[in-house]
Amino acid sequence: MKGTIAVKGMAMADVYPVCEIKGNIRAQKMEDVEVELKKLDEAKKGCMESLTRLIEKLQNETDKESAEILDFQLLLLEDDNYFGAIREIVKAQKVNCEYAIVSQSESYRSELAALDNPYLNERTADITDLEKRLLNVLSGGMEHDMEDGSWIVAAEDLTPSQVVELGKKRLKGIILEKGGLSSHCVILARSMNIPCMIGVKGALGKMKKGEKVLLDCIDGEVIIRPDKEALKKYLDYCEKMDEEKADLERFKHRETKTKDGKDMKVYANVSSETEIEELKNQGGEGVGLMRTEMLYMERNKAPDEETQYQIYSKIAKELEKDPLIIRTLDVGGDKHISYLNIPAEDNPFLGYRAIRYCLDHPEIFKSQLSAILRAGVCGTVKMMIPMVSDLSEIKRTRDMIDEVKQELDMAGIKHGDVAVGMMVETPSAAVMADRFAKVVDFFSIGTNDLTQYLFAADRNNEKVASLNSYYHPALLRMIDHISRCAHENEIEVDICGQAGEVEELIPLWVGMEIDNLSVSIPSIPRVRRAISCCSFEKCRELVKQVLHFSSDKEVIKFMREEKTK
């Protein structure tokens, strides 16, 4: 099977299919109700066994909050008002058990949401999670508790939260039938150094659970039941990677400088505090992007101010004097958080997301701002605002920050002098970069979204995703313009998108005088090595030539020829 390489590498392991039932599940009349009830009871048994194992594991890891959440799901399986009612629907209406699960889950969610009880209101998400668990067991797909062992997961697509959950297990690779090169699923896989291939047509229908698979994200193929030749290819790759790892060791803890002495920094993109140790092991010089939405996605309710403060301050202290740049909540797009009740949209990437949502929901936004400001006393903490498209959004954000500062002062709570920057990821912000540079403290160019908005090509739509080329002169001209505007106004400009770690483009970022690159943790030594091979003066000349090209093909050909010189 062929596909598109999203994260380079190779992996060999047994395959684990993730099959989720999607769309409307309709009622089907069933002649043998006892057969349906038996299926339902077996699904219940499977869920109870896996939930019990997972709860024990979480308790051993001292994750009591998550364990308590799953305890509630166990109770639901014994609750006559939930599971008992599902059985009654099957018996009374003589319908398929899948329909009974969906019907009763929807009814029970509505009942709990209508109660004047915040605790039970928040349990609606648990019903949704248990509903999915039951349906997945019935469909023969993956139940949430992946079995022990090393696995390559195959799925139609994965949400960011699924990648985070799976990444905590022994996940060796990801095969997706859909997906986009800059989807958040792929971004997270890259940050975890997990080989990933997208666009593998019919993958789920061709692989069975437990089959040995070679995921070759070098040549772009998936080999089921690999033969001796394929096995040799994998072993040769592992040997080559051992040599590469040894070479990169030299670049882990050295200063980031070009050959002619121009300083840069290599930061890391992170999603949680657990990644900081590995960041330091790889020689990261700070956090250039902390994706705070993951704090929200792994919970059934928004984290309160104190929870956020404890996490941000812990990271700031661990980084010592190195910067921690916290991106405020970037919800929406492909990052759905059910309890925030953002309505479904026809085009969520161009919809009600990120700063647009936060400014309308101060009860969510102000607690995050307060936590960031308080953490500012613990280190070099900065915040940046995502999805900015109009100057008024910066003004409204700064006004809200001032309100929070006053509230903290009145309460006698210390807070730091936190710089306020912005993601430059919309064409309007890029075009108006000269004006934005006067009202923020720094820029961070989000090349993933900027590229898809510039080319009007959804990065998750495989039919048009190829238009999103980081090599295209239109994008390169835009990044050069943003960098010039930043330096004319004496503020720093970073790149925190995927383009920042594309080795062939790093000479252009050096030549455009990008100050810092924020990349996935595994890429830190490789990016530093690429910078150290650059001459700043030569890179400036490369930029002048490249900006006169008309297509990405010309840029690719030119940069590859330069690399061989």
Side-chain angles (χ1 to χ4, degrees), residues 20 47 50-51 54 58 66 69-74 76-77 82 101 105-106 109 122-137 142-145 159 161-162 165 297-300 338:
E20 289 200 13
C47 281
S50 64
L51 281 168
L54 190 52
L58 290 170
S66 297
I69 290 168
L70 295 180
D71 269 330
F72 183 80
Q73 294 186 26
L74 274 179
L76 284 172
L77 288 170
Y82 178 67
I101 290 168
S105 295
E106 181 58 37
R109 271 193 298 269
E122 291 164 1
R123 300 283 73 79
T124 57
D126 296 305
I127 296 168
T128 300
D129 193 28
L130 183 56
E131 175 187 15
K132 288 180 179 179
R133 288 178 187 273
L134 288 165
L135 291 173
N136 284 336
V137 172
M142 184 194 91
E143 213 284 296
H144 288 204
D145 183 19
T159 65
S161 59
Q162 283 177 308
E165 182 180 356
M297 294 176 76
E298 62 189 15
R299 289 171 166 79
N300 286 329
S338 59

Side-chain angles (χ1 to χ4, degrees), residues 89-119:
I89 290 172
V90 173
K91 286 194 289 186
Q93 300 181 27
K94 296 184 178 180
V95 291
N96 50 316
C97 54
E98 291 87 353
Y99 171 77
I101 290 168
V102 172
S103 176
Q104 178 57 19
S105 295
E106 181 58 37
S107 175
Y108 207 49
R109 271 193 298 269
S110 298
E111 286 180 30
L112 293 187
L115 296 174
D116 186 19
N117 185 319
Y119 174 79

Side-chain angles (χ1 to χ4, degrees), residues 325 359 383:
I325 301 177
L359 288 172
M383 74 172 81

Side-chain angles (χ1 to χ4, degrees), residues 91 123 131 206 254 272 299 477 502 521 527 541 559 562:
K91 286 194 289 186
R123 300 283 73 79
E131 175 187 15
K206 295 174 183 176
R254 61 191 286 181
S272 77
R299 289 171 166 79
R477 287 186 182 191
V502 177
I521 291 174
V527 170
E541 293 302 314
M559 294 306 295
E562 284 296 319

Side-chain angles (χ1 to χ4, degrees), residues 55 95 151 264 320 332 375 406 447 468 528:
I55 288 167
V95 291
W151 298 96
M264 290 181 73
E320 298 173 353
Q406 289 176 10
T447 54
N468 292 321
R528 182 172 290 123

